[in-house]
Amino acid sequence: MVLGVMALFGACAGHAEDQLERSRAIAVDFQQQLGSGLMAAMEQGGPVAGIGVCADIAPAIAARASAQAGARVARTALRVRNPANAPDSDAARVLEEFSRQVAAGEAMPVEHIGPGPNGGTRYMRAIVVQPLCATCHGASLAPAVAAAVKARYPHDRAVGFAVGELRGAFLIDWPAGEASP
């Protein structure tokens, strides 16, 4: 569900729709790259190898997408593994709403577009825990996975999730005055 695209942007509805479609494409591509990277790493080196994908490969995917789009592309969550991914207050409010929507069985994708930082536009798309995600973010982790997470993220708060729960969101911050190609 997209929260108020037309009402929010009024006369600029065409630009808003274009920006929404571009945002969706970026988020879907990020999710696909991350998912295929995780599956490949886990097939080769098991779940512990998957931790490296989220830690090292995901930021590289975000950096490439940011450079290509001319927008900040990132992931965020209410319970983060990496403190650099902590949400600002506006993103936290959207994540709380996403959590309610996902728990209520809202049709996917759950997404939001609205005002962003510094006069720009922010798009967010929910990330819901899948069975693969639960391997490293679930309620019960294998001892080797738990040890690897603790070694890399001593202040980790991103565990205890069940399949189908909100894990976080892809976030795209478009700068003010961003023009569509």
Side-chain angles (χ1 to χ4, degrees):
M1 174 174 154
V2 179
L3 307 176
V5 174
M6 296 303 183
L8 178 67
F9 293 103
C12 300
H15 173 72
E17 282 295 320
D18 179 58
Q19 199 168 50
L20 175 62
E21 291 306 315
R22 291 174 58 210
S23 298
R24 284 176 172 157
I26 292 166
V28 166
D29 185 58
F30 193 155
Q31 187 169 20
Q32 289 174 344
Q33 287 186 55
L34 184 57
S36 62
L38 276 169
M39 288 185 355
M42 290 176 78
E43 284 174 7
Q44 291 180 351
V48 172
I51 295 167
V53 171
C54 284
D56 302 324
I57 304 300
I61 294 168
R64 280 192 308 275
S66 295
Q68 290 171 352
R72 182 175 81 95
V73 178
R75 293 173 301 154
T76 191
L78 293 170
R79 293 171 21 207
V80 296
R81 180 155 281 173
N82 180 349
N85 294 338
D88 60 26
S89 61
D90 291 332
R93 279 193 291 278
V94 172
L95 286 163
E96 291 287 352
E97 181 57 27
F98 280 3
S99 184
R100 285 188 285 280
Q101 290 175 307
V102 169
E106 183 80 32
M108 296 305 287
V110 174
E111 55 187 356
H112 167 85
I113 191 165
N118 303 315
T121 303
R122 173 171 281 171
Y123 171 84
M124 293 176 66
R125 182 185 188 105
I127 301 170
V128 175
V129 177
Q130 302 299 311
L132 183 66
C133 308
T135 305
C136 298
H137 293 285
S140 178
L141 305 184
V145 172
V149 168
K150 185 164 182 62
R152 189 162 218 161
Y153 301 104
H155 304 291
D156 177 46
R157 297 184 0 196
V159 293
F161 290 95
V163 172
E165 286 185 316
L166 179 73
R167 168 62 191 96
F170 295 105
L171 181 144
I172 303 166
D173 282 331
W174 295 98
E178 182 274 334
S180 299

